Amino acid sequence: MGGAGPATAVPVRDAEIVADIIRRAAAALAEAGCDTPRLDAELLLMETLGWSREELYTRPETTLDASEAERFEALVARRRRGEPVAYLIGRREFWSLDFSVTPAVLIPRPETEHLVEAVVDFLASRPEPQRILDLGTGSGAIAVSVARECAGAEVWATDVSAPALAVARENARRHGVDRRIDWFQGDLFAPLRGLPVSFDALVSNPPYIPSREMARLPRDVGAWEPVLALDGGTDGMDFYRRIVRDGTPRLREGGLLALEVGDGLAGLVSELFRAHGGLRRVRVLRDYAGLPRVVAGERTQASGTVSRPDPAPGVVSG
Ligand SMILES: C[S@@+](CC[C@H](N)C(=O)[O-])C[C@H]1O[C@@H](n2cnc3c(N)ncnc32)[C@H](O)[C@@H]1O
């Protein structure tokens, strides 16, 4: 949503039916610069009425009572000011699962499903039990999805943000995998300091927006999503440097390092992987649009790696 559209309310008219309410709300959202006005109007009305999409199509003649109309008008007004639909309705689908989201977490993006896919495919050929680390878990989208797919995997998830970890835990509970995920609060690997653990896969979708570009982000993103989840330092590479340097020694031999990459960063991140010397089979995975989306590599002979057996997880927070 780019335009600074007026934030005035769009009142639902007396006896106005659902089909017309959606049409007028969509027009108002389009006027405010919303990219997907019809979809957003539908989602906001479904939220207001507690309806499924099917009900939206099979009950177009329904009218709203006064409190429903008031709630819908308030949601549309907030959306017109740029607030993302996912925050307004409190959830977003990812990996065909319903995730709770709050403004404390990045709204999970469909692109990140490629990262989940890469890890799940890789783990299919690794002996169990497996241990996976998700750095900067946010809503828990990656950790929860991997835990759901890989029944033999124990997942560790970290985030510097305590409110984000609370959301991630709720999502893990909702999807029945909370007991297979250990949560750690702190700066990247800091919570693991002193724990001689190693991983079959280390995965992250780190903050990667170059600081100077933060002010130019689309309003839906820049004004609403957490800076902590976005700002990747001067060139967007801060987290990649730290994760490759400190994460590679945490991998078991042959273990996977897989990182989502921002626009234009795949080459630089691949270079980092190659320059490290401890990673082989470095490759760039593309998304359905053909864009570079994930850089992956596997741990070479793991001298200096913490070997099995590892102690049980100890530091749990969130
Ligand atoms: C781009 S978001 C990714 C969230 C989630 N994994 C996803 O893919 O939707 C990056 C996450 O890293 C977390 N983060 C930022 N700085 C961090 C740090 N120094 N240590 C650990 N996590 C950090 C943020 O709080 C945020 O949840």
Side-chain angles (χ1 to χ4, degrees):
M1 239 165 126
T8 48
V10 184
V12 173
R13 293 173 181 153
D14 275 351
E16 193 173 19
I17 61 168
V18 155
D20 292 338
I21 293 169
I22 291 174
R23 187 178 44 73
R24 282 200 317 112
L29 292 174
E31 182 205 38
C34 177
D35 290 337
T36 52
R38 170 97 197 175
L39 176 66
D40 293 2
E42 289 177 351
L43 289 168
L44 297 181
L45 193 59
M46 285 160 62
E47 173 66 17
T48 303
L49 299 176
W51 279 10
S52 65
R53 177 161 295 284
E54 196 186 358
E55 282 175 290
L56 210 58
Y57 296 134
T58 54
R59 302 172 63 184
E61 307 283 326
T62 307
T63 56
L64 274 53
D65 66 28
S67 97
E68 290 166 344
E70 195 179 323
R71 288 204 307 277
F72 181 66
E73 286 163 12
L75 289 174
V76 171
R78 287 168 67 185
R79 181 67 190 123
R80 292 184 91 200
R81 286 192 286 268
E83 195 166 343
V85 170
Y87 291 153
L88 291 173
I89 67 175
R91 59 181 187 278
R92 168 58 67 94
E93 186 182 304
F94 179 86
W95 200 255
S96 300
L97 300 170
D98 200 30
F99 279 85
S100 287
V101 294
T102 73
V105 301
L106 187 91
I107 299 165
R109 307 294 206 269
E111 302 88 271
T112 304
E113 293 180 347
H114 290 280
L115 193 54
V116 173
E117 198 175 0
V119 175
V120 170
D121 287 353
F122 173 81
L123 290 176
S125 61
R126 292 282 291 185
E128 293 181 1
Q130 301 156 337
R131 182 179 291 147
I132 293 104
L133 175 62
D134 173 23
L135 285 165
T137 195
S139 64
I142 299 169
V144 170
S145 303
V146 170
R148 290 270 304 195
E149 292 295 326
C150 306
E154 171 195 295
V155 179
W156 292 32
T158 77
D159 207 291
V160 76
S161 158
L165 281 175
V167 174
R169 291 189 86 135
E170 184 197 326
N171 282 319
R173 273 194 292 273
R174 171 191 280 225
H175 295 300
V177 290
D178 190 33
R179 294 167 71 156
R180 295 206 357 257
I181 305 181
D182 291 291
W183 309 97
F184 299 81
Q185 191 200 344
D187 177 27
L188 287 189
F189 298 94
L192 309 188
R193 199 172 292 141
L195 293 175
V197 286
S198 56
F199 298 91
D200 294 279
L202 194 166
V203 60
S204 183
N205 173 21
Y208 54 60
I209 306 295
S211 302
R212 68 180 176 285
E213 288 177 22
M214 288 291 292
R216 293 203 292 272
L217 287 172
R219 188 174 55 144
D220 292 37
V221 179
W224 298 98
E225 299 203 66
V227 171
L228 203 54
L230 299 169
D231 192 338
T234 310
D235 57 358
M237 292 288 292
D238 282 7
F239 286 88
Y240 297 110
R241 290 191 191 93
R242 292 178 60 197
I243 293 172
V244 171
R245 184 193 65 207
D246 300 336
T248 305
R250 288 274 183 185
L251 288 170
R252 292 172 177 160
E253 186 168 346
L256 180 77
L257 179 61
L259 306 179
E260 180 165 327
V261 288
D263 289 346
L265 295 181
L268 289 171
V269 175
S270 304
E271 272 312 302
L272 264 185
F273 273 49
R274 292 197 179 91
H276 182 277
L279 294 162
R280 59 179 156 81
R281 296 198 65 237
V282 176
R283 57 220 187 248
V284 175
L285 312 177
R286 292 175 182 273
D287 63 20
Y288 297 127
L291 299 171
R293 191 53 67 189
V294 172
V295 173
E298 290 160 26
R299 180 81 165 103
T300 53
Q301 177 138 42
S303 63
T305 302
V306 183
S307 58
R308 299 174 200 238
D310 293 334
V315 185
V316 181
S317 178

